[in-house]
Each structure stands twice: as C-alpha cells, then as structure tokens.
Amino acid sequence: MPKPTGISSKAAAKNTDSGPARVAPEANADVASEKMAQVQELAAAMPYNATKAAEHGVANGLEPVPGSTVEPASRLPTGSTLSEENGSGKTGSLAPEGLNATIEPLDRVRVDSAGQALTTNQGVRIADNQNSLKLGVRGPALLEDFILREKITHFDHERIPERIVHARGSGAHGFFECYKPFTQYTKAAPFQEEGKVTPVFVRFSTVQGERGSKDTARDVRGFAVKFYTDEGNWDLVGNNMPVFFIQDAMKFPDLVHAVKPEPHHQMPQAASAHDTFWDFVSLMPESTHMLMWVMSDRAIPRSYATMQGFGVHSYRFVNDAGESVFVKFHWNPKFGTHSLVWDEAVKISGADPDFHRRDLWERIEAGVYPEWELAVQVFTEEQAERFSFDILDATKIIPEELVPLQPLGRMVLNRNPDNFFAETEQVAFCTAHVVPGIDFSNDPLLAGRIHSYVDTQISRLGGPNFHEIPINAPLAPVHNNQRDGMHRQAIPRGRVSYEPNSLAGGCPFQAGAAQGFVSVPARLQAQEDHVKVRAKPEKFADHYTQAALFYNSQSPVEQAHIAAAFRFELSKVTVPAVRERMVSSLRNASESLAQKVAEGLGMAQLPASMPLALAKPAKPEVTASPALSLAARPGDGSIAGRKVAVLVAPGVNGAAIDQIQAALAAEGAVPRLVGPRIGAMATAEGKVVDADASLENEPGFLFDALVLPDGEDAVAALAGDGHTAEFIKDQYRHCKTILVLGASSRLLEKAGLPAAAGSAAAKGKKGAPADTGLIFETSTDVSGALARFVTAMGRHRHYERETDPPAV
C-alpha cells in the first residue's frame, strides 16, 4: 500500500473529525503531523489493557498491580492544544510537568480587600455604590446601569444545573395496572392484587448530550419510572438496553468523561464517534457486549413508544415470609420495537431535533397512548450459581431461553405534563428509592448508583429537600425528624425532632419489621465472604460470550447495521491505533463482524485478537436468542400513531386522496397532505384539498410512509419541484412503505429508483426478493392497494431493498 503524501498527512493532522487509515512519521513534518504520529505511537504501544486480567479474584484484589503506563516521546501527545506555548499575562506559560496547580497552597486564591477600591466582577472600579443610574435625581432608573444589573443579578439569579448525564429528557404521567397478584414472590405494593392501579411518572432521555442536544443521536436511552405506591415511591431507573458498559461503579466517571465532548474543544456534542470514547472502551473489553447494543439499531429508536426498557441490574423480590428471589425487569412496548436507520436519524436531527419529544407529546395529545407490558425474569440463588455468567455483572443478560419472562401488568402513559420545568426537569429519580418487597443485589455497579443519584439530586436541585418538590413528593404520608435545610416546604408542629423521645409520646416511632422496610439478611455471597477486597468475581472476566450471543441473534439486516455503525463511529476516530485496538477486541466476539469493520476502515489486515481476561470462559447455555432481535418484536401490526405523507398538488385525483385519508385515520395513523406549498389546491374533480405541510418544511424522512398521487397535472407539478425527488429517495432509502398511484410512477423514475415503474426487483423476478413495501396501483379503485399499504406499513421497514452503500 503506498504511503500518504506529506501534503495529505499534514492536512489530515489538522482535522478534528475523522483521520487517515494509517499514520507514519514524515520527514520535515510540521508540529501537527508530529503530534499525530506521536499520538498514534503512544496509543499503539498499549494494544490492550494488560492489567485487566488482574482485576479478578481475591489474591489480585488484596495486592492490586500497578496500572500500565507508556512514556510518550515528548509532551506533544499529552497536551490539549498545540497553542499552549503561546503565553500571556492571563494564561501564563506551559504547565510544569507532573504538577497539579489546583492543589497548591490556598494563597493562590485568597483575597484580601484591605486598601482596595470596590470593583465589578470584571475588575472595573465602581465610583458610586449607593445609587442606581437615573435620568435626573428624581427620574426613572436606566437599563444602561450595568453595575446595578450585575449586583442584583448575582444576588438573585437562580438556575438548576442540568444533569451531567441524561440531561435531555421527556416525561409523561400515566398508570401501572397489575394483571394478577404476584404475592408468592413479592409484597411490593403495585403487585398485590388484580387490577390494582398505581400512578407513575416516566422520563425518557438520551445519555451523552446536553439539554439542548438532538433527540435522534446514537445513544443509550434512559427509561426511568417513578411508581407513586401507597407504601412510598419506588423508582425503577433503567435504560432501553439491558446491559451496561462497565461492571463496577468505580469506572462510571471514567466512562462519562470519555463519552462526553472532549474537554479541550468541547466536541462532539451528543455523539460517541470520537477518540476518547473509543480509546476508553477499547481498553475495557467488558464493554464489548454493550457496544453491540449501542452500535445496533436499538441506539436510534423510532420513538419512545416503540422502545423496550430494562432495569439492567439483578434486584430482589421479597415476600411476606421474608423469602427472596432474584428478579430482572423488562418493559415491552405494545407497538413493537422499531428503530430509525442511520441516514434517517442524521437527517431528522437537522430538521427536527425534538423528534422523539414531539412524537411522545403528540401521541398522548391524540389519544394514542404509549403502552408497555412489565415482565420479569425470576430465578433463585441456586439457579444463579449454576449459570455460566455472574448475575451480578451488569454487562450480562439472562437469555429468555434460560429464564422466561413472566408478565406482571401494563403501563399506560396518558397525560402530558402541565409544565416541563416543574415536572420533567425537576423530577428526581434514584435507585435507592425502593419499597418493601423490592431489595438490592450485590451488583457493584448498582451499589454505586444507590449513592450517586441522591448525591447528584442534592447538588442539582439545591439541597436535601428535593423530595418536597411536587413531582417528587410521594402519595404515602411522610413523618420523620428531618428539619430545615434549603427550600424546606413542610412546617412541622411541636418541638421534638429526635427519636426516642417522650415529649411527643414517642412519635414518630419506628414501624418494625411487620410494616417497615427490612433488607434481606441473606445476600448472594462469594466464596471468600469474610474479606473486604477490591476485586471482581472470576465470571466477570468473560467479556465476549454475551456480545457474541447478541450479534449472533440478530437478523442479517441488523448485523449489517451493527457493522455499519462501528464503521461510522470508528471512522471518526483520528488515532488508527485506537481503531485497531477496537477491531482486535471485536474479533473475540465475531470474526465476521471484525472483518467487515476492518474492511470499512481501510485496514489491510486484521490486528491480532485481544488477549482474553478469562482464558477459558464457561460454555454458554444459549448461543442464539431470537428474542434479542428487533424482528422478534414486531408489535400488534398496528399503524396507530404513524405519520403518512400524502403528496398533493393542483390537479390531484381528489377522490383517492379522500379515501386514503379516511382509511388511514380509521387505523389511528396520521395522514398529512404535503404539497409544493401549504394551502388550498384544486383537484381534478374541481374540488379542493388543503395541504397542511409542504415539501420544504416537512422533509420525507420525518414520515413513516408515503403515498404518491394520481393526476397528470399534479404529477407534472411535483416532478418540477426538486424537493419531490429527495422526498422519495429518503423514503425509499429508509426502507419505508410507498404507495404509487397511476401516473406517479414517473416520479419514481425521476428520483432514480431502481424499482421504478414496477421493475424486476420490485416484482421479485430473476431471483430478486420482492419489495413488499413498494405498492403500485394503476386503476382508479385504490381500495385493494390501500389494504396492502396498511399491511405493509405494519412491518415498519422493508429491508429487502437496503444495500450498502445505498443504491439510491
């Protein structure tokens, strides 16, 4: 393979987005090229995490080994910016090597104002601190008075900091309805009797992005449910994926720092396709299983209503007799699990960054209430010990073939918030919020979350009384001896705030085991249960078996999407060694996936497989689980809530349009008339249709299906608008259902579709799979075609037409 020219290498070194397939030192290189080469050399010197295998077992936990380090060739690779040598009176000079100046003696930040004039926060001296600026001594105060404004603003300005993760969220109220008593396993209030209804508030969110970021980023989605039970609040705080990147909460700050925008230039926003994330996860092979999920279509859901939810961790159910079993929680959407395709997600993010938020709001406003079934996997401690994996490991699932799902009830979201800030923004979830009948396992990631969430809310919501904000307040009465603090709302009577007491008759008194929360005394124990140690069980070291299970359980289309997602994300990485390290890790999960990704990244050959932390993993009970594929959860075939674009223009066949609108509305879909412009348009019959959207303001990728109209004049008008071809291309490329009426087949030809005018591919001739999502009707009676259209829409996508790269 020829080496890149010096000019191309120097140009590549100045990019912060994407990079060359290989980096080599160049003669007469500029400083940027030299830094790029040294960064590559530094990253390549650590092809895997050499200390990973030493994280497991008591002996290693008692004597941790030092972390692996590599000495850089110079200070270039470790700097934030090449401009760091350009000093000034403010920036100072280059940071002294190995020094953290923030922990120097506090003299560096002490302030003594003796003998000093009063100033603004900008250091401007204030001449008069007694009077505001007015138009004359008795005149009105002036907006110009920046000194007054700064002083007052600093005094009374308040804002709630956004969440560090899950900052962008959308919420709704609803209810959970129990199917039948589950009292043989748990005394938790929501599961005590058939038909029992428990109010809930649910918040969906992305993880990486800030509050103003886009909805359709490739990301994990938070799925947090607050049950307002009659025994207190229970927060089931989960995600739309059943596993996570890390096994221990100790690594959570590292994960978030790696995936967030890089600190030296604060890019990219709401994306994992950058160096620091992939550098981190490529050194954390335990992340591989989660990476399969994040690179799958699960990471770009079509809507919150078509997204699964999971509790992620193993919890415990406890019954009235004090007996406990392990439990994992699953939320399965009534409307099926559906996703976007990547090209569609990217385009939607530009046209409507609020796509998921809008969809959730509009569904509820329209009465198409999102609904999920809550199901659980229940298993005993004895069963858990026989599994080939450790149930305390948050990077593992329990395949449904091993422990089947048992449905408990349904959750319906049927009310939008009255005020986004008061409800969705101020709601505070915490894994520590449990009720009698729910308890924790010894999952080390869960243990960290139990602490972290409360700690975060105290900081974000301004103090320890965030539980008194209305959206967070329980329905169950609150009686305790907590007093005062910021933002206190309650006004307790009396002088007693301690226990035991006699001045208040001993009240409030402790409830005792019969009514109060009691932790399960028998916990899952390691064999070495008499020693405190920083280590993981040996089964945690199996990082790839379930990653392979997930990949092998996907349909060929989903596997292709996973490979394309890895290819895209890793192409954004500027350090080839990080890419190679990630591919070397993928080889342990799937050789074919690694090969596809390597080819897409221009790698001449596959790097060696990453060494395993566990040389001989246990033989898995399940090697393929159809339930892990989105295709296994098509939903009920309903098209309720789906948006359908019906193109119109002057001269359109209005009778067919009326028939289509009525039929789609009867199915609960949302048909929208999209024209070259909005407004009234004459039909071929001399009547009028009213376009409520235009080709310009509602692009094709915002819709779930497309109807192309009949009518010579209408087709001619649409053909003359360049937006039409783009509209059709996006619908076709994103594998959506298209109904082609009469003369509009010419629009397919103009858009350059290979299936134009009912070609062999569309009809399934010569071995080509039939495109069931491309429906032609030449007669004026559209009823038959319309029925096929509705059925085809129920499939959501028609992947038989998908190619990589796209043919259109």
Side-chain angles (χ1 to χ4, degrees):
M1 179 183 295
K3 289 173 59 178
T5 65
I7 294 175
S8 64
S9 294
K10 290 179 180 178
K14 293 177 174 61
N15 286 326
T16 60
D17 184 15
S18 187
R22 54 192 293 265
V23 174
E26 296 282 347
N28 303 318
D30 60 14
V31 65
S33 302
E34 193 173 329
K35 177 176 180 176
M36 182 173 69
Q38 290 187 20
V39 169
Q40 162 68 8
E41 180 184 354
L42 191 62
M46 194 177 288
Y48 65 97
N49 188 344
T51 63
K52 191 66 185 174
E55 294 179 8
H56 308 85
V58 171
N60 287 325
L62 293 174
E63 295 186 28
V65 299
S68 301
T69 60
V70 178
E71 186 74 22
S74 72
R75 299 191 70 190
L76 272 177
T78 58
S80 302
T81 169
L82 292 175
S83 62
E84 64 183 348
E85 294 187 359
N86 300 333
S88 72
K90 177 65 175 175
T91 63
S93 58
L94 193 66
E97 190 166 3
L99 176 69
N100 181 352
T102 65
I103 57 172
E104 290 291 284
L106 294 179
D107 290 345
R108 64 186 176 82
V109 292
R110 287 197 173 99
V111 176
D112 184 359
S113 297
Q116 302 301 308
L118 193 68
T119 73
T120 68
N121 287 331
Q122 308 306 315
V124 178
R125 293 187 178 188
I126 297 173
D128 184 337
N129 191 46
Q130 316 310 318
N131 302 289
S132 57
L133 186 64
K134 299 182 288 292
L135 187 63
V137 295
R138 301 183 69 249
L142 298 179
L143 185 62
E144 175 188 324
D145 192 350
F146 66 91
I147 296 173
L148 172 68
R149 292 208 319 274
E150 181 194 87
K151 187 174 183 179
I152 295 296
T153 299
H154 194 278
F155 172 75
D156 63 14
H157 189 63
E158 295 175 358
R159 64 180 288 269
I160 293 179
E162 71 175 24
R163 294 164 171 87
I164 295 174
V165 288
H166 298 278
R168 179 171 183 81
S170 302
H173 294 274
F175 63 88
F176 174 81
E177 181 181 16
C178 182
Y179 287 161
K180 59 184 179 181
F182 213 60
T183 50
Q184 71 272 34
Y185 290 124
T186 180
K187 59 183 177 181
F191 312 124
Q192 293 307 290
E193 59 189 76
E194 180 178 349
K196 181 170 184 177
V197 172
T198 302
V200 299
F201 185 85
V202 181
R203 186 177 186 271
F204 305 103
S205 56
T206 53
V207 176
Q208 306 168 48
E210 294 170 2
R211 200 163 65 188
S213 58
K214 58 193 178 186
D215 274 349
T216 56
R218 176 176 294 281
D219 201 354
V220 187
R221 297 305 189 283
F223 195 126
V225 183
K226 185 179 289 289
F227 292 80
Y228 300 95
T229 86
D230 46 23
E231 293 191 350
N233 287 357
W234 169 36
D235 292 350
L236 182 53
V237 192
N239 289 328
N240 73 325
M241 300 178 189
V243 290
F244 202 61
F245 294 94
I246 53 175
Q247 297 170 322
D248 194 298
M250 182 70 81
K251 301 306 297 174
F252 191 75
D254 299 290
L255 168 67
V256 175
H257 288 169
V259 77
K260 279 286 194 175
E262 296 190 8
H264 60 312
H265 56 34
Q266 200 61 18
M267 295 183 288
Q269 176 60 242
S272 56
H274 58 105
D275 291 6
T276 57
F277 173 72
W278 289 97
D279 181 44
F280 175 78
V281 294
S282 66
L283 293 169
M284 298 288 287
E286 70 207 50
S287 300
T288 312
H289 187 195
M290 182 62 172
L291 289 173
M292 293 293 182
W293 287 80
V294 177
M295 294 301 110
S296 78
D297 294 345
R298 301 267 185 166
I300 43 176
R302 162 61 181 82
S303 66
Y304 294 134
T306 56
M307 182 177 80
Q308 279 184 287
F310 302 91
V312 180
H313 307 285
S314 295
Y315 288 84
R316 285 181 179 269
F317 270 163
V318 188
N319 65 15
D320 275 321
E323 302 163 332
S324 83
V325 290
F326 286 115
V327 61
K328 276 184 170 280
F329 297 99
H330 298 244
W331 293 106
N332 292 318
K334 171 187 175 182
F335 295 121
T337 48
H338 300 295
S339 64
L340 302 171
V341 293
W342 178 240
D343 184 67
E344 180 184 26
V346 171
K347 288 176 175 175
I348 288 174
S349 71
D352 187 1
D354 304 304
F355 187 71
H356 288 153
R357 177 175 290 174
R358 192 183 314 282
D359 181 271
L360 179 65
W361 181 275
E362 290 179 349
R363 283 176 186 264
I364 294 174
E365 290 295 293
V368 184
Y369 300 136
E371 181 175 331
W372 291 261
E373 184 175 77
L374 177 62
V376 291
Q377 291 176 295
V378 175
F379 53 102
T380 65
E381 189 156 334
E382 291 72 25
Q383 286 176 287
E385 290 173 350
R386 292 195 296 268
F387 294 155
S388 63
F389 48 89
D390 197 313
I391 61 100
L392 301 182
D393 183 349
T395 70
K396 306 294 195 299
I397 65 166
I398 300 175
E400 293 178 29
E401 292 80 358
L402 212 55
V403 180
L405 295 180
Q406 300 184 56
L408 296 188
R410 68 183 187 122
M411 179 175 71
V412 178
L413 300 184
N414 61 0
R415 177 168 178 166
N416 281 315
D418 287 302
N419 183 273
F420 184 91
F421 177 84
E423 296 164 88
T424 305
E425 194 59 30
Q426 288 197 127
V427 69
F429 294 94
C430 181
T431 48
H433 295 166
V434 294
V435 294
I438 309 290
D439 205 351
F440 310 110
S441 70
N442 289 345
D443 183 326
L445 181 59
L446 176 59
R449 294 180 72 198
I450 291 170
H451 161 76
S452 177
Y453 281 60
V454 173
D455 194 44
T456 297
Q457 306 301 359
I458 289 173
S459 172
R460 193 177 68 85
L461 295 171
N465 294 312
F466 65 86
H467 59 279
E468 292 191 335
I469 296 172
I471 189 64
N472 297 318
L475 296 178
V478 175
H479 299 286
N480 55 45
N481 292 316
Q482 296 173 13
R483 295 291 187 270
D484 306 331
M486 293 180 67
H487 308 148
R488 188 73 186 186
Q489 303 294 307
I491 307 176
R493 63 185 294 273
R495 57 175 171 166
V496 169
S497 58
Y498 52 90
E499 191 276 333
N501 69 72
S502 64
L503 296 178
C507 297
F509 57 91
Q510 68 179 38
Q515 299 183 58
F517 182 90
V518 178
S519 295
V520 177
R523 302 286 189 133
L524 183 65
Q525 300 291 330
Q527 292 179 351
E528 310 84 10
D529 59 357
H530 297 298
V531 60
K532 290 184 178 179
V533 60
R534 291 187 183 272
K536 301 183 182 76
E538 280 76 3
K539 286 183 180 179
F540 276 45
D542 179 6
H543 300 133
Y544 296 105
T545 298
Q546 291 209 348
L549 167 65
F550 180 83
Y551 185 74
N552 293 335
S553 302
Q554 304 301 294
S555 67
V557 167
E558 291 170 308
Q559 289 183 344
H561 289 181
I562 291 171
F566 273 110
R567 180 183 69 208
F568 171 82
E569 296 266 331
L570 291 173
S571 73
K572 292 288 189 178
V573 170
T574 63
V575 184
V578 172
R579 297 187 196 132
E580 292 165 7
R581 187 191 305 142
M582 194 61 243
V583 172
S584 78
S585 179
L586 289 178
R587 292 190 68 179
N588 293 324
S590 169
E591 192 71 17
S592 64
L593 173 61
Q595 183 65 52
K596 291 176 184 175
V597 175
E599 289 173 358
L601 296 173
M603 294 183 185
Q605 60 185 30
L606 284 173
S609 299
M610 186 173 286
L612 299 175
L614 183 63
K616 294 183 178 180
K619 183 178 180 181
E621 299 89 345
V622 178
T623 57
S625 175
L628 296 178
S629 170
L630 289 172
R633 305 178 187 278
D636 58 4
S638 165
I639 64 170
R642 302 287 180 87
K643 292 186 177 180
V644 183
V646 183
L647 299 197
V648 294
V652 69
N653 183 336
I657 298 301
D658 291 342
Q659 187 177 352
I660 290 166
Q661 281 189 292
L664 292 176
E667 295 288 339
V670 183
R672 299 195 66 184
L673 301 187
V674 183
R677 55 170 176 77
I678 61 173
M681 299 177 191
T683 68
E685 301 90 341
K687 296 182 179 180
V688 171
V689 294
D690 196 352
D692 65 331
S694 73
L695 295 166
E696 179 181 43
N697 74 5
E698 293 284 332
F701 48 80
L702 295 178
F703 294 92
D704 294 294
L706 172 62
V707 177
L708 297 177
D710 197 7
E712 290 291 340
D713 291 345
V715 169
L718 290 169
D721 189 327
H723 291 105
T724 304
E726 291 299 317
F727 205 104
I728 295 171
K729 285 179 184 178
D730 283 332
Q731 284 277 313
Y732 183 85
R733 184 185 298 167
H734 300 159
C735 303
K736 295 178 180 177
T737 308
I738 303 175
L739 174 59
V740 185
L741 302 178
S744 64
S745 60
R746 296 203 302 272
L747 298 176
L748 299 187
E749 298 170 6
K750 191 170 181 65
L753 266 60
S759 69
K763 297 176 180 177
K765 293 181 180 178
K766 299 180 180 178
D771 188 341
T772 57
L774 192 57
I775 300 165
F776 294 88
E777 181 56 72
T778 57
S779 73
T780 55
D781 181 7
V782 300
S783 55
L786 189 52
R788 297 197 304 275
F789 180 63
V790 170
T791 300
M793 275 185 66
R795 285 187 53 192
H796 190 62
R797 305 270 181 199
H798 303 274
Y799 285 118
E800 58 267 23
R801 77 169 73 126
E802 185 175 71
T803 59
D804 188 10
V808 175

